[in-house]
Every structure is written in structure tokens, then in C-alpha cells.
């Protein structure tokens, strides 16, 4: 039995030289909430390839079975159709807690539910962590900095968040979730990790999630006007999803238990970004200016000194590379959609 496992490990290692494989004793039972979503499904791929047992809990609000269906039937994989606002009783060693709508149109669609997911849902996952003594990594966000007056954003900045506005259901519930992680760590001795994730893009982003990367690429591919909200002078810094997954795994397995930024400091105005995407797609699409978004942060860029120092992590994939891969993904998605409409 042991010999077979060692051979399995060696053959997997040969098949995927870029992945580090674990011996049986290092294998963990890992829960990924929101594992059928964009980020979660890439994380699941990496954990599965590394030989862990992975359990996904997802209610498919924005996630899709298609993102993880290649693992269904694998002996190390389990999918639970579960809304984390309800308690969950399972046995695990680690929890990556990602369940939450993430794009502004999605989290504003049902703001009350967004608050419940991040507050009640996070309490439930902390309660689970407490019962089974698991470590929990919470997917927080750069939105905890609100419309930042400090630039770039360091983890020590407390943020400038409007508690009463269209974004507050997300920003404030992510902030209270961080506070809950802190309280459970102090009071109950739970081991927690907090990743403040900055804007992330890549394959498997939802077609209709309304985020800037998916909107601009889809508009450019279909020669529809590229919609800039406001002046386009607001900035964002975009990280490719594989870099984020590296950072999340490194943070989970590190000794660092305070909030940590995970993002790519490469910063662009939204206007520059529109031109860049149009060029990469080779599109003739026009560029139009729409009304500004309420409470839209004017600038955003992570200071990643902490991640570089503690995790020896920094993003590796350039914006051009990452965008080309993402454009290829959306081009294919449009083809698939086109075919299924015709048949
Ligand atoms: P996503 O919408 O693709 O994935 C979220 C997943 O959570 C989906 O599969 C959805 O079905 C699931 N979910 C939502 N509510 C749930 C509930 N009540 N119970 C169970 N599952 C539920 O979004 P994403 O981009 O993959 O984001 C993942 C996490 O990372 C989120 O917590 C988000 O706030 C955080 N984050 C993402 C970004 C980004 O740029 N993508 C930036 C900052 C933070
Ligand atoms: N919980 C859960 N799974 C568990 C343990 C707890 O979902 O394995 C939920 C439970 O619904 C509870 C919440 O987590 O309301 C917080 O649990 P905790 O033990 O911290 O507090 P309790 O409210 O049970 O005193
Ligand atoms: N944005 C835009 N056009 C779009 C979608 C978004 O100009 O079609 C802008 C939006 O106003 C914001 C930035 O792009 O300034 C990033 O928006 P996104 O929703 O992707 O993420 P956010 O960082 O705001 O959560």
C-alpha cells in the first residue's frame, strides 16, 4: 500500500513538474468554501494536484459546477451543495473561507444576503474551526481600505469606508469578518490567516460579473463600446489568479497571523487599461464614458512588503501575459455560447 502511494506520488510529480507534491503524512483534509467560484476553483485545482483531500462547500450563487467538474468522481474530492449561512458539521484540518459574492453587481444584487454570508457565514466557519481545531484562512479584500487616502495601501492603514452606501454591505461585512477572526483567535485560540486580496482576474471569471476585466475583454471581442465609468482616471492594480493562489497557499502555511495584502502593485488608470485591452484583442471597439459609480475608490495599489518578507512571495505573471490568457479564455467562451445557441 505504502509503495503504491510512493509510486503514485512520483508519477504525479513527473506529470506535473511545476507542482510540489506532498508525502502521505503531509496530506490534509481541506475545506474550500466558495470552491466552485473563480478563485476557489483555481485553488481547488492546486490543492488536488498536490494530493490533498478537498471538500468544496458552495451554494452556486455565482459559482458553477463546470469550474470543478473535472474533479467530480476523484476519490480525494467531495462537493457539498451548501449555503454557509447555515451551520456545517464536518471534519477538516484547514479551511479556506472564500464563499461570498465578489463583484460589485453581484454583491449589490442582494445586499442583505451579502452581509449574512460574510457575518453569519464567517461565524459558522469559525465555529467549525473551533470545534475541530482547524486553521482558517479568510478571503478578505482591498475594499476594507475603502476609498483610500493613503497610497499605496499598507496593512496598517485603517481605511476610509463609507458605512452607509451601496458598497457598505460588502466592505463592512468583510471588515466585521476580520474582527471576528481576531476575536476567535484571541478568545478561542483559533489559528487564523487573513488575506486582503486585491483585484484579481483570469480564466473562469464569470462572464456577467460586471467587473472591469471581463467587461472590457468581452466588449473588445464583440466590437461593442468599451464602457469607462467616470473619468477613467481612477486606478487599479491587477493580479493574475495563479499568483493569488500561490500567495493564499503560502500564507495559509506560514506563521503570519495578521492581515496580509496579496496583490500585484502594477498600477494603471482604468482609461489606460481600456486602451491596453483593446490593443491586445486587436479590436476596433469605441470607448465611451458613462456616469461615475457611487463611492468608487479613486486609487488602489497594494504595498506587498509583508508578503515579500514573510512568504517570499511576489507576483510572477505580467499583465500582458495574464490578459492574453484571459482573452483566449473569453474568446473560447463566446464560441461555445455561439455554438450552443445555434444547436
Ligand atoms: P466568485 O463569485 O467567483 O466566487 C464566490 C463563490 O462563493 C461562488 O462559487 C459562490 O457560489 C460562492 N458563494 C456565495 N455565497 C455563498 C453562500 N452563502 N454559501 C456558499 N457559497 C457561496 O468570486 P471570486 O472572485 O472567486 O471571489 C472569491 C473570494 O475572494 C470572495 O470572498 C471575494 O470576496 C474575495 N475577493 C476576490 C477578489 C477578486 O478580485 N476576485 C478581490 C478581493 C477579494
Ligand atoms: N458551527 C458550525 N459547525 C461546527 C461548529 C459550529 O457550523 O462544527 C456554527 C454553529 O452554528 C455556531 C457557530 O458556528 O452557531 C459558532 O460556533 P461557536 O462554537 O463559536 O459558538 P456557539 O454559538 O455554538 O456557542
Ligand atoms: N469599471 C469601468 N467600466 C466597467 C466596469 C468597471 O470603468 O465596465 C471601473 C469601476 O468603476 C472601477 C474599476 O473599473 O473604478 C474596477 O471595477 P471592478 O468592478 O472591476 O472592481 P472594484 O475594484 O471596483 O471592486
Amino acid at each position: 500500500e505504502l509503495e503504491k502511494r510512493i509510486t503514485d506520488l512520483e508519477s504525479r510529480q513527473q506529470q506535473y513538474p511545476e507542482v510540489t507534491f506532498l508525502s502521505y503524512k503531509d496530506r490534509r483534509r481541506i475545506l474550500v468554501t466558495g470552491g466552485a467560484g473563480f478563485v476557489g476553483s483555481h485553488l481547488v485545482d492546486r490543492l488536488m494536484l498536490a494530493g490533498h483531500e478537498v471538500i468544496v462547500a458552495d451554494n452556486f450563487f455565482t459559482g458553477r459546477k463546470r469550474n470543478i467538474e473535472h474533479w467530480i468522481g476523484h476519490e480525494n474530492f467531495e462537493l457539498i451543495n451548501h449555503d454557509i449561512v447555515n451551520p456545517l458539521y464536518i471534519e477538516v484540518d484547514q479551511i479556506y473561507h472564500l464563499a461570498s459574492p465578489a463583484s460589485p453587481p453581484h454583491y449589490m444584487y442582494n445586499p442583505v444576503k451579502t452581509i449574512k454570508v460574510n457575518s453569519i457565514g464567517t461565524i459558522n466557519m469559525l465555529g467549525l474551526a473551533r470545534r475541530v481545531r482547524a486553521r482558517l484562512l479568510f478571503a478578505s479584500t482591498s475594499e476594507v481600505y475603502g476609498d483610500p487616502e493613503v497610497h499605496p495601501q499598507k496593512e496598517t492603514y485603517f481605511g476610509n469606508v463609507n458605512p452607509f452606501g451601496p458598497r457598505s454591505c460588502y466592505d463592512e461585512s468583510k471588515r466585521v469578518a476580520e474582527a471576528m477572526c481576531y476575536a476567535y483567535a484571541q478568545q478561542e485560540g483559533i489559528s487564523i490567516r487573513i488575506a486582503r486580496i486585491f483585484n484579481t482576474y483570469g480564466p473562469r471569471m464569470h462572464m456577467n460579473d460586471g467587473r472591469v476585466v471581463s467587461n472590457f475583454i468581452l466588449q473588445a471581442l464583440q466590437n461593442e463600446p468599451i464602457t469607462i465609468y467616470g473619468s477613467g482616471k481612477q486606478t487599479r492594480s491587477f493580479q493574475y489568479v495563479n499568483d493569488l493562489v500561490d500567495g493564499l497557499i503560502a500564507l495559509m502555511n506560514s506563521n503570519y497571523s495578521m492581515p496580509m495584502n496579496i496583490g500585484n502593485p502594477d498600477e494603471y488608470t482604468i482609461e489606460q487599461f481600456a486602451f491596453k485591452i483593446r490593443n491586445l484583442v486587436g479590436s476596433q471597439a469605441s470607448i465611451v464614458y458613462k456616469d461615475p459609480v457611487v463611492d468608487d475608490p479613486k486609487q488602489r495599489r497594494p504595498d506587498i512588503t509583508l508578503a515579500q518578507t514573510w512568504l517570499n512571495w511576489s507576483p510572477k505573471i505580467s499583465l500582458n501575459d495574464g490578459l492574453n490568457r484571459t482573452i483566449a479564455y473569453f474568446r473560447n467562451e463566446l464560441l461555445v455560447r455561439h455554438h450552443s445557441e445555434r444547436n
Side-chain angles (χ1 to χ4, degrees):
E1 172 73 353
L2 189 64
E3 244 165 51
K4 184 178 168 295
R5 278 186 193 142
I6 291 168
T7 328
D8 280 358
L9 198 67
E10 282 168 356
S11 71
R12 274 207 304 268
Q13 187 69 74
Q14 276 164 8
Q15 209 179 341
Y16 303 102
E18 73 281 10
V19 178
T20 314
F21 285 93
L22 303 172
S23 71
Y24 184 67
K25 71 173 172 36
D26 295 322
R27 184 184 289 185
R28 299 272 179 277
R29 252 174 93 74
I30 304 176
L31 168 64
V32 181
T33 74
F38 159 53
V39 174
S41 65
H42 287 279
L43 175 64
V44 167
D45 286 350
R46 283 287 301 283
L47 297 173
M48 284 297 294
L49 287 173
H52 292 294
E53 275 181 60
V54 177
I55 301 160
V56 165
D58 202 296
N59 71 346
F60 300 104
F61 172 54
T62 53
R64 286 163 299 176
K65 214 171 239 176
R66 191 147 72 85
N67 290 340
I68 42 164
E69 71 184 349
H70 45 286
W71 295 118
I72 291 172
H74 192 291
E75 60 177 1
N76 289 349
F77 183 76
E78 197 179 327
L79 174 63
I80 312 176
N81 189 337
H82 180 80
D83 186 328
I84 55 135
V85 166
N86 301 314
L88 179 63
Y89 290 87
I90 55 174
E91 311 302 317
V92 288
D93 306 308
Q94 293 185 339
I95 303 168
Y96 287 89
H97 177 32
L98 273 60
S100 163
S103 80
H106 282 158
Y107 68 64
M108 291 178 199
Y109 169 76
N110 185 340
V112 172
K113 181 71 186 204
T114 300
I115 292 173
K116 285 185 186 170
V117 176
N118 281 310
S119 56
I120 303 171
T122 301
I123 279 275
N124 284 336
M125 291 307 103
L126 286 163
L128 171 64
R130 175 182 168 211
R131 183 178 58 82
V132 300
R133 308 311 295 177
R135 178 176 291 175
L136 178 142
L137 180 146
F138 175 62
S140 186
T141 167
S142 52
E143 297 266 334
V144 300
Y145 302 121
D147 186 5
E149 292 151 318
V150 169
H151 194 72
Q153 291 79 51
K154 269 192 198 314
E155 291 84 348
T156 45
Y157 177 48
F158 292 167
N160 176 35
V161 175
N162 179 2
F164 186 85
R167 296 176 95 94
S168 59
C169 60
Y170 185 70
D171 301 7
E172 293 289 27
S173 67
K174 288 285 188 182
R175 286 170 67 99
V176 81
E178 286 198 13
M180 288 169 174
C181 289
Y182 184 86
Y184 270 80
Q186 296 303 308
Q187 192 177 319
E188 307 292 345
I190 301 305
S191 180
I192 53 130
R193 301 288 179 266
I194 295 176
R196 291 190 179 150
I197 302 170
F198 281 65
N199 295 63
T200 306
Y201 70 97
R204 299 187 195 152
M205 281 184 94
H206 209 284
M207 285 267 238
N208 315 319
D209 78 358
R211 283 189 265 204
V212 71
V213 178
S214 41
N215 275 8
F216 284 7
I217 292 179
L218 286 168
Q219 289 160 343
L221 282 172
Q222 299 174 100
N223 280 315
E224 287 166 6
I226 296 179
T227 53
I228 293 180
Y229 302 156
S231 68
K233 304 293 181 220
Q234 70 272 36
T235 70
R236 291 293 186 276
S237 310
F238 298 94
Q239 99 181 302
Y240 190 66
V241 64
N242 291 18
D243 284 329
L244 170 61
V245 167
D246 285 343
L248 293 178
I249 293 174
L251 176 59
M252 173 65 105
N253 297 296
S254 75
N255 296 322
Y256 194 80
S257 57
M258 309 247 290
M260 186 184 282
N261 292 340
I262 307 280
N264 190 327
D266 199 14
E267 182 183 5
Y268 294 85
T269 67
I270 293 305
E271 205 169 41
Q272 288 172 324
F273 197 61
F275 284 110
K276 186 178 242 324
I277 287 184
R278 191 170 67 171
N279 285 342
L280 287 175
V281 170
S283 162
Q284 306 296 317
S286 62
I287 291 185
V288 297
Y289 292 81
K290 302 269 197 185
D291 288 341
V293 169
V294 178
D295 289 342
D296 201 5
K298 286 183 277 303
Q299 49 181 0
R300 183 181 292 158
R301 171 189 184 169
D303 179 318
I304 57 166
T305 313
L306 266 183
Q308 284 167 327
T309 318
W310 280 83
L311 311 180
N312 196 18
W313 172 91
S314 52
K316 295 196 171 51
I317 297 169
S318 71
L319 185 63
N320 278 357
D321 262 14
L323 282 178
N324 280 327
R325 294 185 206 183
T326 312
I327 291 165
Y329 169 80
F330 278 116
R331 197 170 261 148
N332 189 56
E333 287 295 286
L334 286 174
L335 277 177
V336 171
R337 188 199 267 182
H338 184 70
H339 276 287
S340 62
E341 272 165 11
R342 281 181 39 183
N343 297 332

